[in-house]
Amino acid sequence: MTTEVAVGGVRPCTVIDLEQHVDERGSLSVVESEWTAGFPIRRVYYLHDPDVGCSRGGHAHRALEQLVIAVHGGFTITVDDGANEAEYRLDDPGRGLYVGPMVWRNLKDFSPGAVALVLASLHFDEADYYRDYEEFLSAARGPR
């Protein structure tokens, strides 16, 4: 499922088809920092073995950019920029979702054994996070 709504006031969220090399031995997916992700990759982490029914994310970033890939199984990611919202089902390791700054994200509906790989443009910095949705909305929508 993909909602055809542009989300992301700084840079729109975009599904990115990764470079693929497939032969009788299997498949190899390639991510090359600025070329594929569109940003330098400074941090890599992955979510694995999520509990059934759990949700992850529930935050936005002031400056950080991410490429989110379901390297095993699948999950649904909802993105929200304070004006528009879209939902994507990631379940193909050959595709990723670019999520830019000032976009609230929630991950849910994990399949058993799902693994979400996240490539991030910045090192961890708590000051970059919006963890309160109302504070995020206020900043995203600006003064009225």
Coordinates of all heavy atoms in Angstrom, one line a residue, residues 23-103:
D23 N 21.3 -13.0 -9.9 CA 21.6 -14.2 -10.8 C 21.2 -15.5 -10.1 O 20.5 -15.4 -9.1 CB 23.1 -14.1 -11.2 CG 24.1 -14.3 -10.0 OD1 23.7 -14.8 -8.9 OD2 25.2 -13.8 -10.1
E24 N 21.7 -16.6 -10.6 CA 21.3 -17.9 -10.0 C 21.7 -18.1 -8.6 O 21.2 -18.9 -7.9 CB 21.8 -19.0 -10.9 CG 23.3 -19.2 -10.9 CD 24.1 -18.2 -11.9 OE1 23.4 -17.5 -12.6 OE2 25.3 -18.2 -11.8
R25 N 22.7 -17.3 -8.1 CA 23.1 -17.4 -6.7 C 22.3 -16.6 -5.7 O 22.4 -16.8 -4.5 CB 24.6 -16.9 -6.6 CG 25.5 -17.7 -7.5 CD 26.9 -17.0 -7.6 NE 26.7 -15.7 -8.2 CZ 27.6 -14.8 -8.2 NH1 28.8 -14.9 -7.6 NH2 27.4 -13.6 -8.9
G26 N 21.4 -15.7 -6.2 CA 20.6 -14.9 -5.4 C 20.7 -13.4 -5.8 O 21.0 -13.1 -6.9
S27 N 20.4 -12.5 -4.8 CA 20.3 -11.1 -5.1 C 21.2 -10.3 -4.2 O 21.4 -10.7 -3.0 CB 18.8 -10.6 -4.8 OG 17.9 -11.3 -5.7
L28 N 21.7 -9.2 -4.7 CA 22.5 -8.3 -4.0 C 21.9 -6.9 -4.2 O 21.7 -6.5 -5.4 CB 24.0 -8.3 -4.6 CG 24.9 -7.3 -4.0 CD1 25.7 -8.0 -2.8 CD2 25.9 -6.8 -5.0
S29 N 21.6 -6.2 -3.1 CA 21.1 -4.9 -3.2 C 22.2 -3.9 -2.8 O 22.9 -4.2 -1.8 CB 19.9 -4.7 -2.3 OG 18.8 -5.6 -2.7
V30 N 22.3 -2.7 -3.4 CA 23.4 -1.8 -3.2 C 22.8 -0.4 -2.8 O 21.9 0.1 -3.4 CB 24.2 -1.6 -4.5 CG1 25.3 -0.6 -4.3 CG2 24.8 -3.0 -4.9
V31 N 23.4 0.1 -1.7 CA 23.2 1.5 -1.3 C 24.5 2.2 -1.3 O 25.4 1.8 -0.6 CB 22.5 1.6 0.0 CG1 22.3 3.1 0.5 CG2 21.1 0.9 0.0
E32 N 24.6 3.3 -2.1 CA 25.9 4.1 -2.1 C 25.6 5.5 -1.7 O 25.3 6.3 -2.5 CB 26.5 4.0 -3.5 CG 27.0 2.6 -3.9 CD 27.8 2.6 -5.1 OE1 29.0 2.8 -5.1 OE2 27.2 2.4 -6.2
S33 N 25.8 5.7 -0.4 CA 25.6 7.0 0.3 C 24.9 8.1 -0.6 O 23.7 7.9 -0.8 CB 27.0 7.5 0.7 OG 26.9 8.5 1.7
E34 N 25.6 9.1 -1.0 CA 24.9 10.2 -1.7 C 24.2 9.8 -3.0 O 23.2 10.3 -3.4 CB 25.9 11.3 -2.0 CG 26.4 12.1 -0.8 CD 27.7 11.6 -0.2 OE1 28.1 10.5 -0.5 OE2 28.2 12.3 0.7
W35 N 24.8 8.8 -3.7 CA 24.2 8.4 -5.0 C 22.8 7.8 -4.8 O 21.9 8.1 -5.5 CB 25.1 7.4 -5.7 CG 26.4 7.9 -6.2 CD1 26.7 9.3 -6.2 CD2 27.5 7.2 -6.8 NE1 28.0 9.4 -6.7 CE2 28.5 8.2 -7.1 CE3 27.7 5.9 -7.0 CZ2 29.7 7.8 -7.6 CZ3 28.9 5.5 -7.6 CH2 29.9 6.5 -7.9
T36 N 22.7 6.9 -3.9 CA 21.4 6.2 -3.7 C 20.5 7.0 -2.7 O 19.4 7.3 -2.9 CB 21.6 4.8 -3.1 OG1 22.5 4.1 -4.0 CG2 20.3 4.0 -3.1
A37 N 21.1 7.2 -1.5 CA 20.3 7.8 -0.4 C 20.1 9.3 -0.6 O 19.1 9.9 -0.1 CB 21.0 7.6 0.9
G38 N 21.0 10.0 -1.3 CA 20.9 11.4 -1.5 C 21.5 12.2 -0.4 O 21.3 13.4 -0.3
F39 N 22.2 11.5 0.5 CA 22.8 12.2 1.7 C 24.0 11.3 2.1 O 24.0 10.1 1.9 CB 21.9 12.4 2.8 CG 21.2 11.2 3.3 CD1 21.8 10.3 4.2 CD2 19.9 10.9 2.9 CE1 21.1 9.2 4.7 CE2 19.2 9.7 3.3 CZ 19.9 8.9 4.2
P40 N 25.0 11.9 2.8 CA 26.1 11.1 3.4 C 25.5 10.3 4.5 O 24.8 10.8 5.3 CB 27.1 12.1 3.8 CG 26.4 13.4 3.9 CD 25.2 13.4 3.0
I41 N 25.9 9.0 4.6 CA 25.5 8.1 5.7 C 26.5 8.2 6.8 O 27.6 7.9 6.7 CB 25.3 6.7 5.1 CG1 24.2 6.7 4.0 CG2 25.0 5.7 6.3 CD1 24.2 5.4 3.3
R42 N 26.0 8.6 8.0 CA 26.8 8.8 9.2 C 26.5 7.7 10.2 O 27.3 7.5 11.1 CB 26.6 10.2 9.8 CG 26.9 11.3 8.9 CD 28.4 11.7 9.0 NE 28.7 12.9 8.3 CZ 29.0 13.0 7.1 NH1 29.0 12.0 6.3 NH2 29.3 14.2 6.5
R43 N 25.3 7.1 10.1 CA 24.9 6.2 11.2 C 24.0 5.1 10.5 O 23.2 5.4 9.7 CB 24.1 6.9 12.2 CG 23.7 6.1 13.4 CD 23.1 7.0 14.5 NE 22.6 6.3 15.6 CZ 21.4 6.3 16.1 NH1 20.5 7.1 15.5 NH2 21.0 5.6 17.1
V44 N 24.2 3.9 11.0 CA 23.4 2.8 10.5 C 22.9 2.0 11.7 O 23.7 1.7 12.6 CB 24.3 1.8 9.6 CG1 23.5 0.6 9.2 CG2 24.8 2.5 8.4
Y45 N 21.6 1.7 11.7 CA 21.1 0.8 12.8 C 20.0 0.0 12.2 O 19.5 0.3 11.1 CB 20.7 1.7 14.0 CG 19.5 2.6 13.8 CD1 18.2 2.3 14.0 CD2 19.8 3.9 13.4 CE1 17.2 3.2 13.8 CE2 18.8 4.8 13.2 CZ 17.5 4.4 13.4 OH 16.4 5.3 13.2
Y46 N 19.5 -1.0 13.0 CA 18.4 -1.8 12.5 C 17.6 -2.2 13.7 O 18.0 -2.4 14.8 CB 18.9 -3.0 11.7 CG 20.0 -3.9 12.3 CD1 19.7 -5.0 13.0 CD2 21.3 -3.5 12.2 CE1 20.6 -5.8 13.6 CE2 22.3 -4.3 12.8 CZ 22.0 -5.5 13.5 OH 22.9 -6.2 14.0
L47 N 16.3 -2.4 13.4 CA 15.3 -2.8 14.3 C 15.0 -4.3 13.9 O 14.8 -4.6 12.8 CB 14.0 -2.1 14.2 CG 14.1 -0.5 14.2 CD1 12.7 0.1 13.8 CD2 14.5 -0.1 15.6
H48 N 15.0 -5.2 14.9 CA 14.8 -6.6 14.6 C 14.0 -7.2 15.8 O 14.0 -6.7 16.9 CB 16.1 -7.3 14.4 CG 17.1 -7.2 15.5 ND1 17.2 -8.1 16.5 CD2 18.0 -6.2 15.7 CE1 18.2 -7.7 17.3 NE2 18.7 -6.6 16.9
D49 N 13.4 -8.3 15.5 CA 12.6 -9.1 16.4 C 11.5 -8.3 17.1 O 11.4 -8.3 18.4 CB 13.5 -9.8 17.4 CG 14.4 -10.8 16.8 OD1 14.0 -11.4 15.8 OD2 15.6 -10.8 17.2
P50 N 10.8 -7.4 16.4 CA 9.7 -6.6 17.1 C 8.6 -7.5 17.6 O 8.3 -8.6 17.0 CB 9.2 -5.7 16.0 CG 9.4 -6.5 14.7 CD 10.7 -7.3 15.0
D51 N 8.0 -7.1 18.7 CA 6.9 -7.8 19.3 C 5.7 -7.6 18.3 O 5.5 -6.5 17.8 CB 6.5 -7.2 20.7 CG 7.5 -7.7 21.7 OD1 8.2 -8.7 21.5 OD2 7.6 -6.9 22.7
V52 N 4.8 -8.6 18.2 CA 3.6 -8.5 17.4 C 2.8 -7.3 18.0 O 2.6 -7.3 19.2 CB 2.9 -9.8 17.4 CG1 1.5 -9.6 16.6 CG2 3.7 -10.9 16.7
G53 N 2.3 -6.5 17.1 CA 1.5 -5.4 17.6 C 2.2 -4.1 18.1 O 1.6 -3.2 18.4
C54 N 3.5 -4.2 18.1 CA 4.3 -3.0 18.6 C 4.3 -1.9 17.5 O 4.1 -2.2 16.3 CB 5.7 -3.4 19.1 SG 6.9 -3.5 17.8
S55 N 4.7 -0.7 18.0 CA 5.0 0.3 17.0 C 6.3 1.0 17.4 O 6.7 1.0 18.6 CB 3.8 1.4 16.9 OG 3.7 2.0 18.2
R56 N 7.0 1.5 16.4 CA 8.3 2.1 16.7 C 8.2 3.5 16.0 O 7.3 3.8 15.3 CB 9.4 1.3 16.1 CG 9.6 -0.1 16.6 CD 10.0 -0.2 18.1 NE 11.1 0.6 18.4 CZ 12.3 0.2 18.7 NH1 12.5 -1.1 18.8 NH2 13.3 1.0 19.0
G57 N 9.3 4.3 16.3 CA 9.3 5.6 15.7 C 8.6 6.5 16.7 O 9.0 6.7 17.8
G58 N 7.5 7.2 16.2 CA 6.8 8.1 17.1 C 7.6 9.3 17.4 O 7.6 9.8 18.5
H59 N 8.3 9.8 16.4 CA 9.1 11.0 16.5 C 9.4 11.6 15.1 O 9.1 11.0 14.1 CB 10.4 10.7 17.3 CG 11.3 9.8 16.5 ND1 11.3 8.5 16.7 CD2 12.3 10.1 15.6 CE1 12.2 7.9 15.9 NE2 12.8 8.8 15.2
A60 N 10.0 12.8 15.2 CA 10.5 13.5 13.9 C 11.8 14.0 14.2 O 12.3 14.1 15.4 CB 9.5 14.6 13.5
H61 N 12.5 14.4 13.2 CA 13.9 15.0 13.3 C 13.9 16.4 12.7 O 13.3 16.6 11.7 CB 14.9 14.1 12.6 CG 15.1 12.8 13.3 ND1 15.9 12.6 14.4 CD2 14.6 11.6 13.0 CE1 15.9 11.4 14.7 NE2 15.1 10.7 13.9
R62 N 14.6 17.3 13.3 CA 14.8 18.6 12.8 C 15.6 18.7 11.6 O 15.3 19.4 10.6 CB 15.5 19.5 13.9 CG 14.6 19.8 15.1 CD 15.3 20.5 16.2 NE 14.4 21.0 17.2 CZ 13.8 20.3 18.2 NH1 14.1 19.0 18.3 NH2 13.0 20.8 19.1
A63 N 16.7 17.9 11.5 CA 17.6 18.0 10.4 C 18.0 16.6 9.7 O 18.3 16.5 8.6 CB 19.0 18.6 10.8
L64 N 17.9 15.5 10.5 CA 18.3 14.2 10.0 C 17.5 13.7 8.9 O 16.3 13.9 8.8 CB 18.1 13.2 11.2 CG 18.6 11.8 10.9 CD1 19.8 11.5 11.7 CD2 17.5 10.8 11.2
E65 N 18.2 13.0 7.9 CA 17.5 12.3 6.8 C 17.8 10.8 7.0 O 18.8 10.5 7.5 CB 18.2 12.8 5.5 CG 18.0 14.3 5.2 CD 18.8 14.7 4.0 OE1 18.2 14.6 2.9 OE2 19.9 15.1 4.1
Q66 N 16.8 10.0 6.5 CA 16.9 8.6 6.6 C 16.5 7.9 5.4 O 15.6 8.4 4.6 CB 16.1 8.1 7.8 CG 16.5 8.6 9.2 CD 15.5 8.1 10.2 OE1 14.3 8.0 10.1 NE2 16.1 7.7 11.4
L67 N 17.1 6.7 5.2 CA 16.6 5.8 4.2 C 16.2 4.5 5.0 O 17.1 4.0 5.7 CB 17.7 5.5 3.1 CG 17.3 4.5 2.0 CD1 16.1 5.0 1.2 CD2 18.4 4.2 1.1
V68 N 15.0 4.1 4.9 CA 14.5 3.0 5.7 C 14.2 1.8 4.7 O 13.5 2.0 3.7 CB 13.2 3.4 6.4 CG1 12.7 2.2 7.3 CG2 13.4 4.6 7.3
I69 N 14.8 0.6 5.0 CA 14.7 -0.5 4.2 C 14.2 -1.7 5.0 O 14.7 -2.0 6.1 CB 16.0 -0.8 3.5 CG1 16.5 0.4 2.7 CG2 15.9 -2.1 2.6 CD1 18.0 0.3 2.4
A70 N 13.2 -2.4 4.5 CA 12.8 -3.7 5.1 C 13.7 -4.8 4.5 O 13.5 -5.3 3.4 CB 11.3 -4.0 4.8
V71 N 14.8 -5.1 5.2 CA 15.7 -6.1 4.7 C 15.2 -7.6 4.9 O 15.7 -8.5 4.2 CB 17.2 -6.0 5.3 CG1 17.8 -4.6 4.8 CG2 17.2 -6.0 6.8
H72 N 14.2 -7.7 5.8 CA 13.6 -9.0 6.0 C 12.2 -8.8 6.4 O 12.0 -7.9 7.3 CB 14.4 -9.9 7.0 CG 13.8 -11.2 7.2 ND1 13.4 -12.0 6.2 CD2 13.5 -11.9 8.3 CE1 12.9 -13.2 6.6 NE2 13.0 -13.1 7.9
G73 N 11.2 -9.5 5.9 CA 9.8 -9.3 6.3 C 9.3 -8.0 5.8 O 9.7 -7.4 4.8
G74 N 8.4 -7.4 6.6 CA 7.8 -6.2 6.2 C 7.2 -5.4 7.4 O 7.0 -5.9 8.5
F75 N 6.8 -4.2 7.1 CA 6.2 -3.3 8.1 C 5.6 -2.1 7.3 O 5.9 -1.9 6.2 CB 7.2 -2.8 9.2 CG 8.4 -2.2 8.6 CD1 8.5 -0.8 8.3 CD2 9.5 -3.0 8.3 CE1 9.6 -0.3 7.8 CE2 10.7 -2.4 7.8 CZ 10.7 -1.0 7.5
T76 N 4.7 -1.4 8.0 CA 4.1 -0.2 7.5 C 4.7 1.0 8.1 O 4.9 1.0 9.4 CB 2.5 -0.3 7.7 OG1 2.0 -1.5 7.1 CG2 1.8 0.9 7.2
I77 N 5.0 2.0 7.3 CA 5.5 3.3 7.9 C 4.5 4.4 7.5 O 4.2 4.5 6.3 CB 7.0 3.5 7.5 CG1 7.5 4.8 8.1 CG2 7.1 3.5 6.0 CD1 9.0 5.0 7.9
T78 N 4.1 5.1 8.5 CA 3.3 6.3 8.2 C 4.1 7.5 8.4 O 4.9 7.6 9.4 CB 2.1 6.4 9.2 OG1 1.3 5.1 9.1 CG2 1.2 7.5 9.0
V79 N 4.1 8.5 7.4 CA 4.8 9.7 7.5 C 3.9 10.9 7.5 O 2.8 10.8 6.8 CB 5.8 9.8 6.3 CG1 7.0 8.8 6.5 CG2 5.2 9.6 5.0
D80 N 4.2 11.9 8.2 CA 3.3 13.0 8.4 C 4.2 14.3 8.6 O 5.1 14.4 9.4 CB 2.5 12.8 9.7 CG 1.7 13.9 10.2 OD1 1.6 15.0 9.6 OD2 1.0 13.7 11.3
D81 N 3.9 15.3 7.7 CA 4.7 16.6 7.8 C 3.9 17.7 8.4 O 4.3 18.8 8.4 CB 5.2 17.0 6.4 CG 4.1 17.3 5.4 OD1 2.9 17.4 5.8 OD2 4.4 17.5 4.2
G82 N 2.8 17.4 9.1 CA 1.9 18.4 9.7 C 0.8 18.9 8.8 O -0.1 19.5 9.3
A83 N 0.9 18.7 7.5 CA -0.1 19.1 6.6 C -0.6 17.9 5.8 O -1.8 17.8 5.5 CB 0.5 20.1 5.6
N84 N 0.3 16.9 5.5 CA -0.1 15.7 4.7 C 0.4 14.5 5.4 O 1.4 14.5 6.1 CB 0.5 15.8 3.3 CG -0.1 17.0 2.5 OD1 -1.3 17.0 2.3 ND2 0.8 17.9 2.1
E85 N -0.3 13.4 5.1 CA 0.1 12.1 5.7 C 0.1 11.1 4.6 O -0.8 11.1 3.7 CB -0.8 11.7 6.8 CG -0.5 10.5 7.6 CD -1.4 10.2 8.8 OE1 -1.5 11.1 9.7 OE2 -2.1 9.2 8.7
A86 N 1.0 10.1 4.6 CA 1.0 9.0 3.7 C 1.4 7.7 4.4 O 2.1 7.8 5.5 CB 1.9 9.3 2.5
E87 N 1.1 6.6 3.9 CA 1.4 5.3 4.5 C 2.0 4.4 3.4 O 1.5 4.4 2.3 CB 0.1 4.7 5.0 CG 0.3 3.5 5.8 CD -0.9 3.0 6.5 OE1 -1.7 2.3 5.9 OE2 -1.2 3.5 7.7
Y88 N 3.1 3.8 3.8 CA 3.8 2.9 2.8 C 4.0 1.5 3.5 O 4.3 1.4 4.7 CB 5.2 3.4 2.5 CG 5.2 4.8 1.8 CD1 5.2 6.0 2.6 CD2 5.2 4.9 0.4 CE1 5.1 7.2 2.0 CE2 5.2 6.1 -0.2 CZ 5.2 7.3 0.6 OH 5.1 8.5 0.0
R89 N 3.9 0.5 2.7 CA 4.2 -0.9 3.2 C 5.6 -1.2 2.6 O 5.7 -1.3 1.3 CB 3.1 -1.9 2.7 CG 3.4 -3.3 3.1 CD 3.1 -3.5 4.6 NE 3.5 -4.8 5.0 CZ 3.6 -5.2 6.3 NH1 3.3 -4.3 7.2 NH2 3.9 -6.4 6.6
L90 N 6.5 -1.4 3.4 CA 7.9 -1.8 3.0 C 8.0 -3.3 3.2 O 7.9 -3.7 4.4 CB 8.9 -1.0 3.7 CG 8.9 0.5 3.5 CD1 10.1 1.2 4.3 CD2 9.1 0.9 2.0
D91 N 8.2 -4.1 2.2 CA 8.4 -5.5 2.3 C 9.2 -6.1 1.2 O 9.2 -7.3 0.9 CB 7.0 -6.2 2.3 CG 6.2 -5.9 1.1 OD1 6.7 -5.3 0.1 OD2 5.0 -6.2 1.1
D92 N 10.1 -5.2 0.6 CA 10.9 -5.6 -0.5 C 12.3 -5.1 -0.2 O 12.5 -3.9 -0.2 CB 10.4 -5.1 -1.8 CG 11.3 -5.4 -3.0 OD1 12.4 -5.9 -2.9 OD2 10.8 -5.1 -4.2
P93 N 13.3 -6.0 0.0 CA 14.7 -5.5 0.3 C 15.3 -4.7 -0.8 O 16.4 -4.1 -0.6 CB 15.5 -6.7 0.7 CG 14.7 -7.8 0.1 CD 13.3 -7.4 0.0
G94 N 14.7 -4.7 -2.0 CA 15.2 -3.9 -3.1 C 14.7 -2.5 -3.2 O 14.9 -1.8 -4.2
R95 N 13.9 -2.1 -2.2 CA 13.3 -0.7 -2.2 C 13.5 -0.1 -0.8 O 13.5 -0.8 0.2 CB 11.8 -0.8 -2.5 CG 11.6 -1.4 -3.9 CD 10.1 -1.4 -4.2 NE 9.9 -0.1 -4.9 CZ 8.7 0.4 -5.1 NH1 7.6 -0.2 -4.7 NH2 8.6 1.5 -5.7
G96 N 13.6 1.2 -0.8 CA 13.7 1.9 0.5 C 12.8 3.1 0.5 O 12.5 3.6 -0.6
L97 N 12.5 3.7 1.6 CA 11.8 4.9 1.7 C 12.7 6.0 2.3 O 13.2 5.9 3.4 CB 10.5 4.7 2.6 CG 9.7 6.0 2.8 CD1 9.0 6.4 1.4 CD2 8.6 5.8 3.9
Y98 N 12.8 7.1 1.5 CA 13.5 8.2 2.0 C 12.6 9.0 2.9 O 11.4 9.3 2.5 CB 14.0 9.1 0.8 CG 14.5 10.5 1.3 CD1 15.8 10.7 1.8 CD2 13.6 11.6 1.4 CE1 16.2 11.9 2.3 CE2 14.0 12.8 1.8 CZ 15.3 12.9 2.3 OH 15.7 14.2 2.8
V99 N 13.1 9.4 4.1 CA 12.3 10.2 5.0 C 13.2 11.4 5.4 O 14.3 11.2 6.0 CB 11.8 9.4 6.3 CG1 11.0 10.3 7.2 CG2 11.0 8.2 5.9
G100 N 12.8 12.6 5.1 CA 13.6 13.7 5.4 C 13.3 14.4 6.7 O 12.5 13.9 7.5
P101 N 13.9 15.6 6.9 CA 13.7 16.4 8.1 C 12.2 16.8 8.2 O 11.5 17.0 7.2 CB 14.6 17.6 7.9 CG 15.5 17.3 6.8 CD 14.8 16.2 5.9
M102 N 11.8 17.1 9.4 CA 10.5 17.6 9.7 C 9.4 16.7 9.2 O 8.3 17.2 8.8 CB 10.4 19.0 9.2 CG 11.3 20.0 9.8 SD 11.2 20.1 11.7 CE 9.6 20.8 11.9
V103 N 9.6 15.4 9.4 CA 8.5 14.4 9.1 C 8.4 13.5 10.2 O 9.4 12.8 10.6 CB 8.9 13.6 7.8 CG1 7.9 12.5 7.5 CG2 9.0 14.5 6.6

